[in-house]
């Protein structure tokens, strides 16, 4: 689920820490982009295997949120990575069941 919030202008790429963290089973991931760009937001497990591809499309500038439902995954540490052109940022999240 993607929610767009165009509240003001965004000056740089950004990836926020998911909330809540630790989570069970749904968490929200927020990111911001300063201009319309092709965005990839991918979730990986602790050994680097791709678990979910949350965003893989051109997104308008602004602040955006995506819900990640991990109800089919086991407890553990997962990573989510935002890729926009040369910008890459990765953060850690914890699933507790």
């Amino acid at each position: 689920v993607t929610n767009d919030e165009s509240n003001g202008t965004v000056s740089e790429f950004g990836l926020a820490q998911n909330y809540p963290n630790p989570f069970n089973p749904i968490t929200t991931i927020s990111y911001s982009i300063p201009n319309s760009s092709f965005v990839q937001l991918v979730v990986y497990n602790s050994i680097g295997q791709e678990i979910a591809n949350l965003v893989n499309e051109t997104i308008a500038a602004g602040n955006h949120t995506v819900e990640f439902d991990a109800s089919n995954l086991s407890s553990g540490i997962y990573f989510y990575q935002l890729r926009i052109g040369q910008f890459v940022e990765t953060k850690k999240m914890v699933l507790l069941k």
Side-chain angles (χ1 to χ4, degrees):
V1 177
T2 301
N3 297 316
D4 298 339
E5 304 162 14
S6 296
N7 51 359
T9 55
V10 175
S11 60
E12 59 186 16
F13 296 111
L15 179 63
Q17 185 63 52
N18 65 301
Y19 181 84
N21 189 34
F23 69 100
N24 176 30
I26 296 175
T27 189
T28 300
I29 299 169
S30 300
Y31 63 95
S32 54
I33 54 177
N35 46 38
S36 179
S37 305
F38 184 78
V39 175
Q40 291 179 296
L41 181 60
V42 181
V43 177
Y44 298 95
N45 64 14
S46 59
I47 59 171
Q49 295 171 316
E50 186 175 311
I51 298 300
N53 194 332
L54 303 179
V55 180
N56 192 30
E57 61 186 314
T58 300
I59 301 288
N63 297 305
H64 305 276
T65 58
V66 178
E67 277 191 349
F68 174 55
D69 183 347
S71 54
N72 61 337
L73 299 174
S74 56
S75 295
I77 295 173
Y78 294 87
F79 297 90
Y80 57 103
Q81 183 176 73
L82 180 67
R83 281 191 224 119
I84 306 167
Q86 298 298 311
F87 176 85
V88 178
E89 188 169 351
T90 305
K91 293 200 181 279
K92 180 172 74 172
M93 60 185 167
V94 179
L95 172 60
L96 286 180
K97 290 196 169 182

